[in-house]
Amino acid sequence: MNQFIKDKIMKKLLYLMVVGVVFTSCQKEEFEIDRNYQFEMTGRTTQDINGYYHVKINPAEDQQTLHRFGAHITNRCAYNLPSQVIWRCDAFWYTPDTLGHTYIEIGQVPTGESPYSWENFAITGYEGMTVPIVNGTSNADPVTDSVYCMMAPIGAMVGDTVTIYGMALFEEGMIEKFDNIKVIFE
């Protein structure tokens, strides 16, 4: 055999030996990813023996009551990406035609009373729009293992029981965890 061919074979063997030593010396733990993610929802209010949370709301039919609920969650995945939660609820309400009123300053009105006047205008045109009672998404707090969301039921929901669903996403959405809570509006 030619010396050149022998040297080439020896270099390839040496290369394969070095690569084999490198891969066999690596420990398995270096390649494992911790997939023990936590996601447990909490209503952040009193809970009865059946597991239902109770939220007192304003009984005025069209008035919203704000309440913050949340979850205990692993706030970062194995790749140090923030965790995200998608919220959904089986309850919603419809907007009336008039959402409220605004006051606009009208200058130089020829009424003789004042050079400026305020005019009251109704905010209309929103009748029948669907309003979910929970926000759609939240990102985990980067410091503590928690995530929060706001709910806003209206007084017409007094006595209703709703289910709020949460889906936590880890590692760019490749791992999902699910939970839900049941809430009674009082």
Side-chain angles (χ1 to χ4, degrees), residues 58-95:
N58 185 343
E61 187 169 320
D62 60 347
Q63 294 295 310
Q64 289 181 315
T65 300
L66 299 178
H67 177 75
R68 185 169 91 158
F69 66 96
H72 301 290
I73 188 171
T74 305
N75 64 353
R76 298 251 180 216
C77 71
Y79 301 117
N80 203 29
L81 298 171
S83 304
Q84 183 182 46
V85 178
I86 298 173
W87 306 102
R88 187 176 67 80
C89 182
D90 60 0
F92 54 89
W93 54 276
Y94 296 107
T95 58

Side-chain angles (χ1 to χ4, degrees), residues 29-47:
E29 292 83 31
E30 292 179 29
F31 296 108
E32 286 184 2
I33 297 173
D34 178 23
R35 297 189 190 270
N36 189 22
Y37 297 120
Q38 302 297 314
F39 178 62
E40 183 181 350
M41 292 176 60
T42 177
R44 301 189 76 231
T45 186
T46 58
Q47 189 176 22

Side-chain angles (χ1 to χ4, degrees), residues 118-179:
W118 293 91
E119 189 66 37
N120 181 358
F121 291 97
I123 302 171
T124 61
Y126 294 94
E127 182 175 15
M129 293 182 74
T130 304
V131 180
I133 68 166
V134 297
N135 290 340
T137 60
S138 301
N139 291 314
D141 186 309
V143 179
T144 62
D145 288 340
S146 57
V147 64
Y148 300 103
C149 183
M150 294 300 292
M151 75 168 76
I154 60 172
M157 295 180 172
V158 169
D160 289 354
T161 301
V162 300
T163 304
I164 300 174
Y165 302 92
M167 178 176 70
L169 303 174
F170 304 96
E171 296 179 28
E172 297 184 3
M174 299 304 293
I175 296 176
E176 301 169 348
K177 286 202 165 264
F178 301 91
D179 199 6

